[in-house]
Every structure is written in structure tokens, then in C-alpha cells.
């Protein structure tokens, strides 16, 4: 299957949502074209990005992969990234459609820096599932490239996942938005464009922040707020899962309330076969903790739900 040059959207389904979901959970699903890569290459690439992103890229070994944020100067989350490092520099995997803006923002800070910034010419797709080819060959948290093409292993909760360019391997089952979103919500992986807002600070993303921020590397863009929150030890909101306790799927944007107090709003919504219920992500305010009952309300409907810790299904895969 030849992948498109540019994408960013999936059809709801390729004909059988259940089969697509099971491909992700039991076999190998192809999630095509939802990401792109920005390359930062040259002798100063690593030192330049060390002062901009939240991850410690100087300590990342060549051939390594890590999560990171690119924050605004005020410390709000602007981009959620995977960072790839090798001897040529860094690759920044972002959501499709964000690459040009990310490159322009990096260019704004590139003053007397020996590094070139460019948006990659190839779309980035992912293979997800326990039968994911290349997983063992690449190795979790590592990547390899051949010219403009690459394969990068970055687990999705308990599921192997390979980001890649070029053609997909034989046997990968194309997956639509409905199945992909279900697995993504179960894993607690937010989409920056859907699940986060302009006021989101890094620690509000919960498990993602734990993987994406280094507090020992020194200063980086937006670091002051992140450090202050870290020393204070709490945030007002945290990304949580919601499990609907009736078989009603609320619309995105529905209010989440506890004891008549608004504690959040629904963002990504999906039907989970593993949880056996509709599920969603939401930035939930303090006072509504995992295990608590809440009410989800929207115009013309309401449904009870339970707040869930993330991930709702699975955890870090075994390494060895």
C-alpha cells in the first residue's frame, strides 16, 4: 500500500470498525498519515533544541526516541512531540498540519545557530498492534533511517507502535478514525488539537508529562511555570478517562459535572470493546478523582460516568 504525500485525516472506517479495532488490539493496524516530521539538522541542532523543548535531548543517545513538549514562553503546551535523535540532528514528529507552524516557530529562535530546519517531504504513519512488524528489529525507544525514510518504535501503552514513512508492509490492516480513537483514548494519549486547550500546562497531561519533561536539564522555553508547578506539587486539572456507565455516547464538548459543579468537558469520545462501554478523555478539575461518579450533560441528554485513571487499558509493555 503506497501512502499519500500529505494527509491528516482518516475515514471513520474502512468498512468494519470491529475488525479494525481488533487489528490494533490483536494483530497489526495501519494508521495512515496522521503525523509529519520536522527535521532540525546541523552541528548546533541538539544544543539549539535543548534550550527549547522540555525533554533532555543532549542526554538522549543517538538512535533514541523520547516524548517532549514545545511550550509557549508562558509555559502552556503548544506542540506534543516525539523526538528522534541521530548523528545528523533531530526529527520532531508532530500532528499532521502542524509541521509548517512548528518549523516557523523554531526559525524565530534560530539566531546564529548552525542548524537547518525543514518540514519532511513524506507523510508519517504508524503500525500499531502486538504483531507489529519491525518492532523487534528496531527496538522500543529506538529508531533507524534510510535517507528520508525512517522507522521509530514508540509504544502506545501496552501496544507496540512503529512510526514510519515510505510504503507499509504487507498484512497491515488499514484502520479508520473510530477504531484508532478508541485505542488512543484507552491508552490515554491526547491529541493536542482535540484534547488540550490553549491553557493546558504540561503537568495537566498526567502520564504524558512524566515522560516528556526533564527537571534536571536546565532552562528551556516555558520552563519557569513547569518548574513552579513541579515544586508546588499539584495542578487544578488532570487529563483523565471517563467510562460511561450506560450505553450512551456523549458528544464532544459535553459538560462533566460532579455534585452540580462543572469539573470538565468531554473531548475525544469512543466506543471501547476492551472496557465494554463508551469512553472519553477530559481535563478534569481537582475534586473529581479516579473512581468518582460524575454526570455528563449536553443539550438533549445526559449520562452517568466514572472517572478513570490513564491508561484505561494496558500499561508499559515488557522489555527484554
Amino acid at each position: 500500500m503506497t501512502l499519500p504525500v500529505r494527509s491528516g485525516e482518516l475515514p471513520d472506517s474502512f468498512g468494519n470498525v470491529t475488525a479494525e479495532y481488533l487489528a490494533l488490539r490483536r494483530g497489526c493496524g495501519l494508521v495512515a498519515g496522521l503525523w509529519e516530521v520536522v527535521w532540525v539538522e546541523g552541528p548546533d541542532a541538539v544544543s539549539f533544541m535543548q534550550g527549547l523543548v522540555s525533554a533532555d535531548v543532549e542526554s538522549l543517545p543517538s538512535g533514541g526516541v523520547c516524548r517532549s513538549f514545545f511550550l509557549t514562553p508562558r509555559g502552556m503546551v503548544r506542540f506534543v512531540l516525539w523526538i528522534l535523535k541521530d548523528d545528523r540532528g533531530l526529527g520532531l514528529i508532530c500532528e499532521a498540519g502542524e509541521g509548517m507552524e512548528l518549523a516557523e516557530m523554531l526559525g524565530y529562535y534560530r539566531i546564529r545557530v548552525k542548524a537547518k530546519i525543514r518540514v519532511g517531504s513524506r507523510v508519517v504513519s504508524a503500525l500499531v498492534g502486538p504483531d507489529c512488524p519491525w518492532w523487534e528489529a528496531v527496538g522500543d525507544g529506538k529508531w533507524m533511517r534510510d535517507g528520508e525514510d525512517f522507522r521509530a518504535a514508540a509504544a502506545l501503552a501496552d501496544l507496540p507502535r512503529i512510526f514510519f514513512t515510505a510504503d507499509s508492509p504487507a498484512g497491515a490492516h488499514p484502520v479508520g478514525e473510530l477504531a484508532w480513537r478508541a485505542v488512543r483514548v484507552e491508552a490515554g494519549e491526547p491529541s493536542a488539537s482535540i484534547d488540550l486547550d490553549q491553557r493546558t500546562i504540561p503537568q495537566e497531561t498526567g502520564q504524558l508529562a512524566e515522560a516528556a519533561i526533564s527537571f534536571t536539564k536546565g532552562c528551556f522555553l516555558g520552563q519557569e511555570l513547569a518548574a513552579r508547578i513541579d515544586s508546588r506539587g499539584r495542578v487544578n486539572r488532570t487529563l483523565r478517562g471517563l467510562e460511561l456507565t450506560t450505553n450512551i455516547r456523549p458528544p464532544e464538548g459535553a459538560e462533566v459535572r460532579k455534585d452540580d459543579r462543572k469539573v470538565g468537558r468531554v473531548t475525544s469520545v469512543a466506543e471501547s470493546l476492551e472496557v465494554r462501554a463508551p469512553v472519553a478523555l477530559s481535563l478534569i478539575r481537582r475534586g473529581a478523582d479516579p473512581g468518582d461518579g460524575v454526570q455528563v450533560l449536553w443539550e438533549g441528554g445526559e449520562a452517568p460516568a466514572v472517572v478513570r485513571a490513564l491508561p484505561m487499558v494496558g500499561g508499559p509493555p515488557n522489555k527484554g
Side-chain angles (χ1 to χ4, degrees), residues 276-299:
R276 298 186 179 183
V279 293
L281 295 178
S282 179
L283 285 164
I284 298 291
R285 297 190 68 82
R286 280 191 296 120
D289 300 315
D292 288 353
V294 292
Q295 200 73 10
V296 181
L297 300 96
W298 62 96
E299 185 176 355

Side-chain angles (χ1 to χ4, degrees), residues 22-63:
L22 292 176
L24 294 167
R25 280 279 165 206
R26 309 283 188 265
C28 178
L30 169 63
V31 186
L34 292 189
W35 304 272
E36 57 187 317
V37 63
V38 173
W39 299 107
V40 183
E41 298 172 316
D44 294 342
V46 173
S47 59
F48 169 57
M49 293 303 302
Q50 180 77 350
L52 290 180
V53 298
S54 63
D56 187 352
V57 293
E58 287 187 348
S59 297
L60 185 68
S62 181

Side-chain angles (χ1 to χ4, degrees), residues 262-285:
K262 182 179 177 181
V263 294
R265 68 177 184 88
V266 168
T267 52
S268 294
V269 186
E271 188 74 33
S272 169
L273 298 186
E274 289 285 323
V275 179
R276 298 186 179 183
V279 293
L281 295 178
S282 179
L283 285 164
I284 298 291
R285 297 190 68 82

Side-chain angles (χ1 to χ4, degrees), residues 39 46 55-67 82-93 138-145 150-154:
W39 299 107
V46 173
D56 187 352
V57 293
E58 287 187 348
S59 297
L60 185 68
S62 181
V65 179
C66 70
R67 297 303 305 269
W82 289 264
I83 296 184
L84 320 176
K85 181 181 179 182
D86 68 5
D87 294 338
R88 292 164 58 181
L90 301 171
L92 314 177
I93 298 177
V138 177
D140 187 18
K142 299 179 181 179
W143 75 295
M144 57 181 64
R145 70 162 143 175
F150 67 85
R151 302 171 184 175

Side-chain angles (χ1 to χ4, degrees), residues 44-312:
D44 294 342
V46 173
S47 59
F48 169 57
M49 293 303 302
Q50 180 77 350
L52 290 180
V53 298
S54 63
D56 187 352
V57 293
E58 287 187 348
S59 297
L60 185 68
S62 181
V65 179
C66 70
R67 297 303 305 269
S68 187
F69 297 116
F70 185 98
L71 305 178
T72 69
R74 295 181 59 192
M76 311 302 175
V77 175
R78 181 58 194 89
F79 298 100
V80 178
L81 307 171
W82 289 264
I83 296 184
L84 320 176
K85 181 181 179 182
D86 68 5
D87 294 338
R88 292 164 58 181
L90 301 171
L92 314 177
I93 298 177
C94 59
E95 293 184 13
E98 293 184 335
M100 188 61 68
E101 183 178 358
L102 174 59
E104 289 175 354
M105 292 182 70
L106 294 175
Y108 176 81
Y109 293 100
R110 188 175 65 89
I111 301 172
R112 294 188 294 275
V113 171
K114 295 179 180 178
K116 294 183 178 180
I117 302 166
R118 60 187 177 87
V119 180
S121 60
R122 303 298 300 273
V123 72
V124 180
S125 298
L127 298 172
V128 179
D131 293 335
C132 182
W134 308 328
W135 180 255
E136 296 297 332
V138 177
D140 187 18
K142 299 179 181 179
W143 75 295
M144 57 181 64
R145 70 162 143 175
D146 180 12
E148 288 296 296
D149 292 324
F150 67 85
R151 302 171 184 175
L156 177 70
D158 62 334
L159 292 174
R161 170 177 51 187
I162 296 281
F163 291 109
F164 72 101
T165 57
D167 295 346
S168 64
H173 194 303
V175 168
E177 174 63 25
L178 295 177
W180 164 242
R181 184 171 294 201
V183 172
R184 179 176 68 76
V185 170
E186 292 167 350
E189 180 158 302
S191 164
S193 61
I194 299 172
D195 301 300
L196 309 182
D197 58 37
Q198 295 179 344
R199 299 178 295 108
T200 303
I201 59 178
Q203 285 91 336
E204 291 178 338
T205 65
Q207 60 174 358
L208 176 55
E210 296 175 8
I213 307 175
S214 169
F215 290 105
T216 61
K217 60 174 278 187
C219 295
F220 56 89
L221 184 68
Q223 179 258 354
E224 182 178 354
L225 176 61
R228 190 187 319 138
I229 295 297
D230 184 60
S231 63
R232 193 174 72 181
R234 66 179 187 180
V235 290
N236 290 327
R237 305 182 299 173
T238 303
L239 186 71
R240 300 292 192 193
L242 293 173
E243 177 184 343
L244 280 297
T245 55
T246 59
N247 193 26
I248 299 174
R249 181 172 166 174
E252 292 181 2
E255 282 192 1
V256 183
R257 303 187 73 86
K258 180 186 177 186
D259 300 329
D260 294 326
R261 179 174 71 96
K262 182 179 177 181
V263 294
R265 68 177 184 88
V266 168
T267 52
S268 294
V269 186
E271 188 74 33
S272 169
L273 298 186
E274 289 285 323
V275 179
R276 298 186 179 183
V279 293
L281 295 178
S282 179
L283 285 164
I284 298 291
R285 297 190 68 82
R286 280 191 296 120
D289 300 315
D292 288 353
V294 292
Q295 200 73 10
V296 181
L297 300 96
W298 62 96
E299 185 176 355
E302 61 180 278
V306 175
V307 179
R308 294 280 302 271
L310 296 173
M312 288 187 276

